[in-house]
Amino acid sequence: MSAALIFGILAALMLTGMPISIALGLTVLSFMFTMTTVPIESVGLKLFTGLDNFSIMAIPFFILAGTFLTRGGVARRMIAFTSSLIGHWPGGLGLAGVAASALFAAVSGSSVATVVAIGSIILPAMVEQGYPKRFGAGVITTSGALGILLPPSVILVLFGVSTNTSIGALFMAGVMPGLLLASLMICLTLVIAWRRGYPRMARSTWAQRWRAFRESVWGLFLIVIVMGGIYGGLFTPTEAAAVAAVYAFVIAVFVYRDLPLRDVPKVLLSAANTSAMLLYIITNAVLFSFMMTNEHIPQSMAAWIVAQHFNVWTFLFVVNIVLLAAGNVMEPTSILLIMAPILFPIATSLGVDPIHFGILMAVNMEVGLCHPPVGLNLYVASGIARMGISELTVAVLPWLVVMLMFLALISYVPTISVWLPHRLGM
């Protein structure tokens, strides 16, 4: 009854159009003050302790780094580099877009930033070269979702904070699935372009490739700094985020010089707005998790599932259905912060590896970004391509099918996710 009442209140508030963060907070306050004897002081204490976490500091720093990179000309140079490598294949510019999205995702940690940075450059170029706008929009919408999976993913940081799982291990676990999904998207894009006879670019010489690499190497080196620093023991993921923010500022302002110093305050304000929104959601989600635990709802659900003798395959199938359904009404951050504290104890009680479960949730969040009615990537790409949401939904379908097949693969072949971190002793 408690679970039904809590989710009923939350659903009713969301149906009014209220932002999810405020709906979460009001649900907690209304339930706790009317249906429990929890003292009001504990609510205030939980609000403070929910954000009093060193790992959470990584979020605003990674967001700031991504904002500097988006404005600092890094995306344009990454597109030039990937185009020089594979642009001569059928649909070369589309393939370059997928590869550049994977590289940019690996330095920004944000799907939306990847769609904006790569899409605003690659889509006009594709249309100019004779590609259908629908094809280009499908490519940038779905390949931008790689930002959730490839480190340094903000979503993986949130999962680590919510479930007390090693963020470093999650980052490393995202590498192989991220590269595999990028490869599948490149293969699909190549097949579609080859069958439809889309144009290809002139083959670049090795001198041109070297020049493109040399120009993009400052941005690419950020991947080495973050991942090498974490796994070399030089700094924690939070410290890596701070280093990434400073490094992104230096290359955007002083190396590439695409970001004037006078525009830096605007970048800081934009990053602060995004960070504040996320931290406000986190605060209310921590309260929601506290209320659920106080009512013993996760424990009761875990006991019920164990009593039904669900095997791991059945449980993971149900989890995927629940998360995909939630993706129709909520954005990824909210889904993860609400669902992870509930589902994680059940998963671990059934023997699911915590790292594998984190990657599974991240892939579900990827899919949610690319389908209506609340897929953020759809809305961002719609603004760039000047296409309606319904038309864009049709455009992304081939890639969306591949992403769903990839989700099934990740769900039932955990080795893809856990092999690398386990190999490194994490």
Side-chain angles (χ1 to χ4, degrees), residues 314-356:
T314 305
F315 170 72
L316 294 180
F317 176 77
V318 172
V319 166
N320 285 331
I321 295 299
V322 169
L323 294 177
L324 290 174
N328 288 304
V329 293
M330 289 188 285
E331 47 85 32
T333 303
S334 304
I335 297 172
L336 188 140
L337 290 171
I338 293 171
M339 294 296 183
I342 298 172
L343 297 174
F344 183 77
I346 305 173
T348 52
S349 69
L350 291 173
V352 179
D353 190 293
I355 297 171
H356 170 222

Side-chain angles (χ1 to χ4, degrees), residues 35-349:
M35 305 294 291
T36 71
T37 57
V38 175
I40 191 171
E41 292 83 2
S42 65
V43 176
L45 182 63
K46 201 64 186 176
L47 279 171
F48 173 76
T49 57
L51 289 180
D52 187 24
N53 187 319
F54 185 66
S55 297
I56 288 180
M57 291 174 61
I59 295 170
F61 283 127
F62 276 132
I63 290 172
L64 179 58
T67 309
F68 274 126
L69 294 172
T70 303
R71 307 279 185 90
V74 175
R76 175 166 50 82
R77 290 169 174 84
M78 285 184 173
I79 291 171
F81 173 55
T82 55
S83 297
S84 71
L85 295 178
I86 57 178
H88 58 281
W89 294 359
L93 203 51
L95 301 176
V98 177
S101 293
L103 291 175
F104 193 83
V107 297
S108 70
S110 167
S111 287
V112 173
T114 303
V115 174
V116 171
I118 302 297
S120 57
I121 298 171
I122 205 85
L123 185 59
M126 290 179 73
V127 173
E128 185 178 338
Q129 286 200 12
Y131 291 87
K133 184 186 288 188
R134 180 178 287 189
F135 174 76
V139 168
I140 65 166
T141 302
T142 50
S143 57
L146 292 166
I148 275 186
L149 195 53
L150 288 166
S153 163
V154 173
I155 286 292
L156 292 180
V157 174
L158 289 174
F159 180 85
V161 170
S162 301
T163 61
N164 201 27
T165 304
S166 166
I167 295 173
L170 287 167
F171 277 2
M172 192 54 75
V175 172
M176 284 184 63
L179 294 177
L180 177 58
L181 181 57
S183 300
L184 291 173
M185 287 185 172
I186 285 176
C187 289
L188 175 63
T189 305
L190 179 62
V191 169
I192 293 174
W194 175 72
R195 292 183 62 183
R196 298 178 182 175
Y198 291 158
R200 61 177 80 192
M201 302 170 69
R203 183 187 292 268
S204 299
T205 65
W206 285 105
Q208 291 171 325
R209 291 171 179 173
W210 170 249
R211 191 180 309 113
F213 170 74
R214 194 174 56 197
E215 290 180 359
S216 65
V217 72
W218 289 102
L220 297 173
F221 192 60
L222 184 57
I223 304 172
V224 178
I225 291 176
V226 172
M227 303 302 289
I230 292 173
Y231 302 110
L234 297 179
F235 34 69
T236 66
T238 302
E239 292 163 347
V243 171
V246 174
Y247 180 82
F249 164 75
V250 171
I251 63 171
V253 176
F254 299 111
V255 178
Y256 290 151
R257 299 182 181 178
D258 282 4
L259 181 68
L261 268 175
R262 65 176 180 273
D263 289 343
V264 170
K266 295 179 183 177
V267 172
L268 296 174
L269 183 60
S270 174
N273 284 335
T274 305
S275 300
M277 176 189 69
L278 275 177
L279 293 174
Y280 186 61
I281 295 174
I282 292 170
T283 303
N284 286 292
V286 166
L287 268 184
F288 189 81
S289 176
F290 167 68
M291 177 184 66
M292 298 289 281
T293 305
N294 186 68
E295 294 298 307
H296 303 287
I297 291 172
Q299 299 91 322
S300 300
M301 291 177 66
W304 181 83
I305 286 176
V306 171
Q308 302 306 310
H309 303 292
F310 276 21
N311 58 32
V312 173
W313 279 56
T314 305
F315 170 72
L316 294 180
F317 176 77
V318 172
V319 166
N320 285 331
I321 295 299
V322 169
L323 294 177
L324 290 174
N328 288 304
V329 293
M330 289 188 285
E331 47 85 32
T333 303
S334 304
I335 297 172
L336 188 140
L337 290 171
I338 293 171
M339 294 296 183
I342 298 172
L343 297 174
F344 183 77
I346 305 173
T348 52
S349 69

